[in-house]
Structure formats: C-alpha cells, structure tokens
Amino acid sequence: NDSLFTKRVEAGGPITALGFLDEKVIIFKEGEIRYFVGEGPNNVGQGAFSEDYLVTADVGCTNRNSVVVVPAGLMFKSRKGIYLLGRDLSVSYIGADVEAYNDSTVHRALLLPKYHQVRFLLSGGPVLVFDYLMSAWSVYTDEGPYAGLQDAAVWQDEFTLAGRGANA
C-alpha cells in the first residue's frame, strides 16, 4: 500500500522545496517552513514519521533550486531575499548585501567547501557568492568567463562553468 509511505502536509499551501538537515526533513512552502523526523515505515508498513512541526510562518522558500546545505544549516531564497535555516532551526536573514537581486531567479545554488563559499547562479544574470567563513557577499558579473553563463556545477572541488562564452 503506497499510502503508508506518503507524508501529507496540509497546512500552508503547496510544497515548494525539500531539504535535509541532520535528522530532519525540511518542508519549504512559499510562506512557511516545517519539518518532521523519524525513519518512517519499514518495508512492511510498520512505523511512521513524526507529525510535522512549524518552524516559522514568516518566511518560506520560493525556489527549490536555491536550497543548499552549508556547514551552518540550509541557505535558501524567499520572497524577502536569502535566508539561513540554522541547525538549531533558527531563521536568519543573511542576504542584506545582495538585496538588489531579490527579484532574480536562482538557477542553481552550489557549495564550494574548498573556498568556504556558496554560489548562487542567477538566471540570465550574475553569480552571487557568499563566503560563509567571512560572512561576506560578492557578485561575479556577466563579464569575462561569466558572459553567457547558462549553468554550473562543482567538479573536482572547482566551480565549473557551462554556456556560451564560458572559459571553463
């Protein structure tokens, strides 16, 4: 019975993204964050997940491509900008320095542990870079190797570019 392996979360509208933080499954909706824990049912349907718990009804995630695990928790983009959901389930606004890009869509969010960075590739635009060791933002513009950037990935611990004009 497949319904035994389904977790329904009714409150708060449709789910916009999922994330995993330690033992928790994080449920993002556009205007709230919830979580649940537990191993769920085994292969014969015994056991269950916990009920879901509200983290905040003040902010949620608008873009599943923006969710990225960082050492301090999960970073994500909301209607209000970029936030951090800490491992203690605290919610912090960390995107003040890049508010000019709040209306942009995140195409991809990547963790580069070698550089202590998270990079947010914006659709049709620059790359936002957050150095989580220094808690500092920078912006890579459409110039140079980022001209025509269409996608990116982390390969062999390096930020690897894809697209017209990309030099990598």
Side-chain angles (χ1 to χ4, degrees):
N1 184 352
D2 289 339
S3 66
L4 293 174
F5 302 100
T6 301
K7 174 72 175 157
R8 296 194 60 78
V9 181
E10 300 294 334
I15 294 171
T16 56
L18 293 173
F20 299 96
L21 190 57
D22 303 324
E23 76 286 352
K24 298 169 199 72
V25 177
I26 306 298
I27 306 159
F28 290 101
K29 298 187 174 207
E30 199 166 301
E32 71 179 34
I33 303 171
R34 303 179 88 76
Y35 78 94
F36 66 90
V37 296
E39 294 183 13
N42 63 20
N43 59 357
V44 293
Q46 299 169 327
F49 295 110
S50 74
E51 51 183 289
D52 56 275
Y53 302 101
L54 182 66
V55 175
T56 183
D58 183 50
V59 68
C61 179
T62 56
N63 182 334
R64 71 174 188 255
N65 295 331
S66 70
V67 178
V68 60
V69 178
V70 298
L74 286 174
M75 289 179 74
F76 62 95
K77 179 146 180 320
S78 79
R79 285 178 282 191
K80 302 176 182 182
I82 297 177
Y83 278 76
L84 172 69
L85 175 65
R87 294 191 180 278
D88 63 354
L89 298 179
S90 61
V91 180
S92 307
Y93 180 58
I94 60 171
D97 291 341
V98 290
E99 278 185 353
Y101 301 96
N102 280 0
D103 291 334
S104 299
T105 301
V106 176
H107 179 69
R108 176 107 41 241
L110 299 166
L111 174 70
L112 286 100
K114 178 178 176 180
Y115 300 104
H116 310 356
Q117 293 179 348
V118 177
R119 297 188 186 181
F120 293 91
L121 170 62
L122 304 182
S123 294
V127 177
L128 307 180
V129 180
F130 182 70
D131 184 314
Y132 55 83
L133 193 61
M134 304 300 291
S135 293
W137 285 96
S138 57
V139 179
Y140 294 171
T141 64
D142 292 344
E143 301 165 8
Y146 299 101
L149 180 61
Q150 294 177 345
D151 208 348
V154 176
W155 185 65
Q156 296 183 346
D157 292 330
E158 296 295 336
F159 187 63
T160 306
L161 311 175
R164 293 183 319 262
N167 293 332

